[in-house]
């Protein structure tokens, strides 16, 4: 079965559970699930009930699609995402993004936990992603292009909407939260980086490094979605001492910063002018 037919089968199941068309898709990263408390839930669909959806295996990811409203906006939220390092193919990783787009979402809001390599960052900072570097990531568009989804070689000169970044900054200022801005360096993981790698990532011009997001954003841009993405800085990779990192520390730091990220996402979505 080709990708388009798979997307259609997933679409049919989701539409049978919730009839309204989402305007905004949201991907919640590790430890950031608290966002869903602010959604007026219309339907909750475990991933294993949706045809062709992979099933999430990572601790801290609950694995369901939530449809409902936030303010007057219809949203579709992925509570739990799929990482390439879990063993999924790039096509599987981005399948839910394609489904959200096919459901009608024109915007994609992405969150993640990331390691800081900018010496000005500290644990708990929020970083708006203004660009990314795809490093050893397998591009999800390799292989046959589905022209119905998007062009063979999509332009990537502004994957992250400048207009939405500007909006985020003014909302954060109103809420009293500082937002750093920076370049996200996408790696496969699942190992955290060596000291030498963190140093290289910094030298290559990135501000943070993480194991998700890049493939999802490529698929979203391919299909014409407007993307906004934000990282919670959960560890600092370039410290000289005490440079050990565990998945639990990443989750704890993401949980602690989640209310700030949630507040920014929520206000952005509620005040989104769907014309931009
Ligand atoms: N490196 C890669 N991915 C991550 C990190 C990190 O330091 N922190 C959270 N996700």
């Amino acid at each position: 079965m080709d990708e388009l037919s798979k997307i259609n089968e997933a679409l049919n199941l989701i539409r049978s559970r919730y009839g309204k068309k989402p305007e905004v898709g949201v991907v919640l990263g590790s430890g950031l699930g608290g966002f869903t408390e602010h959604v007026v839930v219309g339907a909750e669909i475990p991933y294993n009930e949706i045809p062709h959806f992979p099933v999430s295996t990572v601790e801290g990811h609950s694995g369901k699609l939530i449809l409902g409203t936030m303010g007057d906006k219809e949203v579709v939220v992925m509570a739990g995402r799929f990482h390439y390092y879990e063993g999924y193919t790039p096509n599987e990783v981005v399948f839910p993004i394609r489904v959200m787009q096919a459901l009608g979402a024109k915007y994609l809001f992405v969150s993640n936990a990331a390691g800081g390599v900018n010496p000005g960052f500290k644990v708990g900072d929020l970083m708006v992603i203004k660009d990314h570097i795809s490093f050893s990531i397998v591009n999800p568009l390799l292989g046959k292009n589905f022209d119905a989804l998007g062009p063979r070689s999509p332009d990537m000169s502004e994957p992250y909407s400048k207009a939405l970044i500007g909006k985020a900054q003014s909302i954060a200022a109103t809420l009293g939260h500082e937002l750093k801005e920076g370049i996200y360096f996408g790696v496969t993981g699942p190992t955290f980086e060596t000291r030498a790698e963190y140093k290289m990532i910094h030298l290559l011009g990135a501000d943070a490094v993480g194991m998700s997001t890049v493939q999802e954003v490529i698929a979203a841009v391919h299909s014409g979605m407007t993307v906004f993405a934000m990282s919670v800085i959960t560890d600092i990779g370039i410290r000289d001492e005490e440079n050990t990192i565990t998945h639990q520390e990443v989750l704890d730091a993401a949980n602690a910063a989640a209310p700030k990220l949630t507040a920014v996402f929520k206000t952005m979505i509620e005040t989104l002018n769907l014309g931009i």
Side-chain angles (χ1 to χ4, degrees):
M1 186 182 286
D2 74 17
E3 217 52 28
L4 296 176
S5 311
K6 287 184 186 170
I7 292 169
N8 264 325
E9 287 193 0
L11 212 56
N12 290 339
L13 181 284
I14 296 165
R15 289 216 171 115
S16 75
R17 302 282 181 91
Y18 189 73
K20 302 214 183 89
K21 188 171 147 176
E23 297 153 313
V24 183
V26 182
V27 183
L28 299 177
S30 308
L32 298 167
F35 176 87
T36 60
E37 286 159 24
H38 302 274
V39 177
V40 179
V41 178
E44 263 190 26
I45 315 176
Y47 290 153
N48 60 11
E49 295 180 15
I50 308 175
H52 313 295
F53 255 56
V55 176
S56 184
T57 62
V58 180
E59 202 185 320
H61 290 259
S62 54
K64 61 190 173 194
L65 203 63
I66 296 173
L67 294 106
T69 54
M70 184 161 252
D72 66 353
K73 302 294 188 308
E74 288 291 336
V75 296
V76 52
V77 182
M78 281 181 75
R81 62 139 62 87
F82 304 100
H83 301 84
Y84 183 59
Y85 67 72
E86 293 176 84
Y88 303 115
T89 65
N91 251 321
E92 287 172 326
V93 171
V94 304
F95 184 75
I97 307 298
R98 290 179 164 153
V99 170
M100 293 197 287
Q101 192 271 339
L103 281 167
K106 301 240 174 324
Y107 293 84
L108 185 69
F109 281 61
V110 184
S111 58
N112 60 52
V117 297
N118 179 323
F121 287 2
K122 56 186 187 315
V123 170
D125 278 351
L126 297 181
M127 183 192 90
V128 174
I129 302 180
K130 62 178 185 189
D131 207 346
H132 72 224
I133 295 171
S134 171
F135 190 85
S136 79
I137 297 282
V138 181
N139 196 303
L141 306 185
L142 285 175
K144 175 176 161 53
N145 185 58
F146 290 96
D147 297 335
L149 296 180
R152 171 73 282 183
S153 293
D155 177 78
M156 290 294 284
S157 60
E158 191 189 321
Y160 303 89
S161 159
K162 284 201 177 109
L164 290 184
I165 294 171
K167 189 175 164 64
Q169 286 295 6
S170 65
I171 284 169
T174 312
L175 295 172
H177 299 319
E178 187 196 0
L179 289 188
K180 302 274 177 28
E181 280 182 27
I183 295 173
Y184 178 89
F185 194 91
V187 293
T188 65
T191 44
F192 290 112
E193 289 64 39
T194 64
R195 286 166 188 261
E197 286 163 350
Y198 279 121
K199 214 178 274 176
M200 173 198 77
I201 290 164
H202 176 49
L203 283 172
L204 289 179
D207 300 286
V209 51
M211 308 174 193
S212 65
T213 302
V214 168
Q215 291 172 324
E216 296 156 344
V217 169
I218 289 172
V221 170
H222 179 235
S223 62
M225 297 175 93
T226 300
V227 177
F228 177 75
M230 193 147 71
S231 299
V232 176
I233 303 301
T234 55
D235 49 273
I236 300 296
I238 51 172
R239 287 179 303 189
D240 283 332
E241 286 150 29
E242 288 185 44
N243 219 8
T244 61
I245 302 166
T246 64
H247 184 60
Q248 191 55 45
E249 277 176 292
V250 167
L251 284 182
D252 291 347
N255 273 314
K260 281 194 298 181
L261 181 138
T262 294
V264 176
F265 267 33
K266 178 175 181 290
T267 312
M268 285 185 76
I269 291 169
E270 286 176 349
T271 61
L272 208 51
N273 171 1
L274 297 174
I276 70 162

